[in-house]
Amino acid sequence: MSLQIEKLEKNMAKLTIEVSAEELEQAIEKAYQKNKNKINVPGFRKGKVPRKMIEKMYGAAIFYEDAANELIPTAYEKALAECEEEIVSSPKIDVTQIEAGKPFIFTAEVALKPEVTLGKYKGVKVDKQDVEVTDEEVDAQIQKERENSARTITVEDRAVLDGDIVTLDYEGFVDEVAFEGGKGTDYPLTIGSGSFIPGFEEQLVGAEIGKETEVKVTFPEEYHAADLAGKEAVFKCLVKEIKAKELPELDDEFASEVSAFDTLAEYREDVKKGLAQQKEEQAKRVKEDAVIEAIIADAQMDIPDAMVETQQRQMIDDFAQRLQMQGMSLDQYFQFTGLDAAKMMDQVKPQALSRIQSRLVLEAVVKAENIEATEEDFDAEVKKMAEMYQMEEDKVRETLGENGKKQIMQDLAVTKAVEFVVANAKEAAKKTAKAKDKE
């Protein structure tokens, strides 16, 4: 195999890969052996037709596609190992020569890792995040716990209120004609949940059990059923049952039931500590993101489109795997959401670009500051992985191999780069509206 590299514009390159005529002949013969049982030629039994006879009848190129598919993956992998450039995209393959008796030649157009010119990355200024926990936030968190601990009771002596759970029969009409899919029986609906068309649930407030209520709504212009989009409709509704949540009293007994504390005061203090910890963690993430965004804004790099497209596809593949773990295919997800592959590619593009930019500038900081991960860092990471996957540490090392270790060491160095730039950042208090007005 031989390799030639031609640099193109915007960090793209064309690899010209040549495979010997002998290897091509072997691949053609392998394709013949694979397919000969599928080919019918009068006068010959299946699988007994000589290759030359098949090529004469169907053309010399009959086995070329299978032969190329056999050769390209291996030859491309060898080219990657030989190539000193860092390739950061999937290849765009084009066969330029395939003919028995001659070398097999194909090209692979790829993106090369772009150079990064760092601007300011030490002493970056970012807004200081507010981590103070207010009494209102503590009250809201405790109220959520009360909601979770509420019991449901049946109500018979009043009309529907916001927040009630009603059992409902309904039928929808447009121009006094019932429409398909507009009827429901014994439907459980939480008033205020936003499950139905805007305006529907609000009009059920005040409805009484056993009395028909008319609800008038207008379908949204973007409604999924085109024949109903933008049209006015009347729903005849019958509330058959009302249920309400009964919240527990906010006292020591409640605190002891939902926490490890005996008093409400102790429970409130614990909730406040938990919220403070959450805010501090969130503030840390926000600060990291702000610092990295500032470094990106002051850096120079020419990112090839193919690199971004590869990241987009990787993100979608990862998402598809997570869906599969939940028992749903990507095609099913598309059906439910109205998205398709092209729309999803557009949707994830900004995040894909941001991930690439972040990684590139942080790798540049690693290089500029000579940041390295140590063997101790790697050992600690292996220990975490062993605990997570319930494996022996030696087995984790064996599974990772040299390439896996190299990748983890790079990731650890990048993590240290994040810690470095954040530690060197300068925080400024956010300006209030009054302070801005004075300026």
Side-chain angles (χ1 to χ4, degrees):
M1 188 213 74
S2 66
L3 170 66
Q4 292 181 345
I5 303 173
E6 177 188 357
K7 296 284 186 71
L8 306 175
E9 294 182 348
K10 201 177 179 182
N11 289 309
M12 296 294 291
K14 181 187 283 186
L15 312 183
T16 301
I17 303 165
E18 183 175 315
V19 180
S20 69
E22 290 78 11
E23 289 178 272
L24 174 58
E25 171 57 31
Q26 291 172 10
I28 293 173
E29 178 62 23
K30 187 172 182 179
Y32 159 68
Q33 295 294 338
K34 176 184 174 182
N35 292 288
K36 64 182 182 179
N37 290 327
K38 305 173 187 175
I39 299 172
N40 289 317
V41 174
F44 290 90
R45 286 182 296 159
K46 273 190 177 181
K48 300 298 182 180
V49 188
R51 181 178 135 192
K52 294 295 183 186
M53 179 70 72
I54 295 172
E55 290 173 337
K56 185 176 180 180
M57 289 189 66
Y58 294 98
I62 185 172
F63 299 119
Y64 285 177
E65 183 177 350
D66 282 352
N69 291 337
E70 175 72 23
L71 291 171
I72 288 171
T74 303
Y76 180 70
E77 286 298 320
K78 289 180 180 178
L80 285 184
E82 186 178 319
C83 180
E84 295 181 357
E85 302 288 344
E86 189 167 353
I87 294 170
V88 290
S89 75
S90 302
K92 182 181 177 182
I93 302 293
D94 184 32
V95 175
T96 58
Q97 178 174 291
I98 181 166
E99 185 179 343
K102 295 182 180 180
F104 171 56
I105 303 173
F106 68 98
T107 61
E109 192 171 309
V110 295
L112 302 180
K113 185 177 180 180
E115 290 290 331
V116 176
T117 302
L118 286 172
K120 184 174 183 179
Y121 65 92
K122 287 187 278 192
V124 172
K125 292 182 179 179
V126 294
D127 289 334
K128 185 177 179 64
Q129 299 298 310
D130 181 15
V131 295
E132 182 183 355
V133 178
T134 66
D135 289 340
E136 290 78 11
E137 289 171 326
V138 174
D139 290 340
Q141 185 63 32
I142 291 175
Q143 183 63 19
K144 284 183 184 178
E145 192 59 50
R146 289 182 74 199
E147 294 280 352
N148 292 337
S149 301
R151 67 189 185 95
T152 303
I153 59 171
T154 300
V155 176
E156 298 177 342
D157 57 351
R158 64 166 173 79
V160 175
L161 297 176
D162 190 27
D164 284 346
I165 304 164
V166 301
T167 300
L168 184 70
D169 288 353
Y170 63 88
E171 186 170 16
F173 299 82
V174 172
D175 296 331
E176 298 185 356
V177 178
F179 56 86
E180 186 177 352
K183 187 174 184 178
T185 303
D186 292 334
Y187 189 91
L189 175 64
T190 300
I191 306 300
S193 64
S195 303
F196 273 32
I197 304 163
F200 185 100
E201 294 168 26
E202 293 87 336
Q203 294 180 58
L204 286 177
V205 173
E208 297 180 5
I209 295 173
K211 292 185 180 180
E212 188 176 278
T213 301
E214 281 197 355
V215 171
K216 297 178 181 180
V217 297
T218 300
F219 284 98
E221 292 291 341
E222 66 279 6
Y223 194 66
H224 63 83
D227 58 329
L228 296 175
K231 291 188 177 180
E232 294 182 355
V234 174
F235 283 85
K236 294 181 179 180
C237 305
L238 181 68
V239 175
K240 301 167 78 173
E241 185 180 52
I242 302 173
K243 289 186 176 181
K245 285 184 177 180
E246 187 174 67
L247 301 181
E249 291 294 324
L250 194 56
D251 52 20
D252 291 345
E253 183 180 352
F254 165 72
S256 65
E257 287 178 354
V258 298
S259 72
F261 302 95
D262 295 327
T263 67
L264 183 59
E266 290 174 308
Y267 174 52
R268 283 186 63 86
E269 188 60 31
D270 185 64
V271 169
K272 188 173 184 177
K273 286 180 182 178
L275 289 173
Q277 185 177 356
Q278 290 176 21
K279 279 200 168 186
E280 287 169 5
E281 291 172 354
Q282 182 181 8
K284 179 183 177 183
R285 290 193 297 270
V286 170
K287 183 179 179 181
E288 287 178 358
D289 291 343
V291 170
I292 294 169
E293 285 175 12
I295 295 171
I296 290 170
D298 206 30
Q300 294 180 0
M301 49 189 144
D302 193 5
I303 299 173
D305 293 338
M307 184 179 186
V308 180
E309 289 172 9
T310 298
Q311 180 66 49
Q312 288 169 268
R313 296 188 190 284
Q314 181 60 59
M315 289 170 63
I316 292 174
D317 287 345
D318 291 344
F319 179 69
Q321 288 180 9
R322 292 196 298 273
L323 280 178
Q324 196 169 22
M325 291 174 66
Q326 297 169 22
M328 182 185 294
S329 70
L330 190 59
D331 286 340
Q332 289 173 323
Y333 177 79
F334 287 157
Q335 290 174 3
F336 294 146
T337 61
L339 289 174
D340 55 30
K343 288 179 182 177
M344 182 168 265
M345 283 285 284
D346 289 340
Q347 194 178 73
V348 303
K349 186 174 183 178
Q351 188 181 358
L353 178 60
S354 178
R355 284 189 184 184
I356 292 169
Q357 291 171 325
S358 299
R359 182 75 183 200
L360 288 175
V361 296
L362 290 170
E363 287 179 349
V365 171
V366 167
K367 185 177 180 181
E369 294 294 328
N370 295 314
I371 296 172
E372 293 182 347
T374 65
E375 287 295 329
E376 289 75 16
D377 294 329
F378 178 67
D379 290 342
E381 192 65 20
V382 168
K383 186 175 182 179
K384 285 182 190 175
M385 293 175 70
E387 291 172 355
M388 182 185 300
Y389 298 111
Q390 297 183 337
M391 295 171 61
E392 295 293 331
E393 291 184 29
D394 289 343
K395 189 65 177 177
V396 173
R397 294 174 190 276
E398 182 184 335
T399 303
L400 288 171
E402 284 303 313
N403 288 337
K405 179 180 180 180
K406 182 180 177 182
Q407 183 61 56
I408 286 177
M409 295 291 270
Q410 289 174 348
D411 292 344
L412 290 170
V414 165
T415 299
K416 287 189 173 186
V418 174
E419 294 168 354
F420 175 83
V421 295
V422 170
N424 282 275
K426 296 178 180 178
E427 285 187 318
K430 288 183 179 179
K431 294 179 181 178
T432 63
K434 289 182 180 180
K436 287 181 180 178
D437 291 340
K438 288 180 181 180
E439 290 184 351

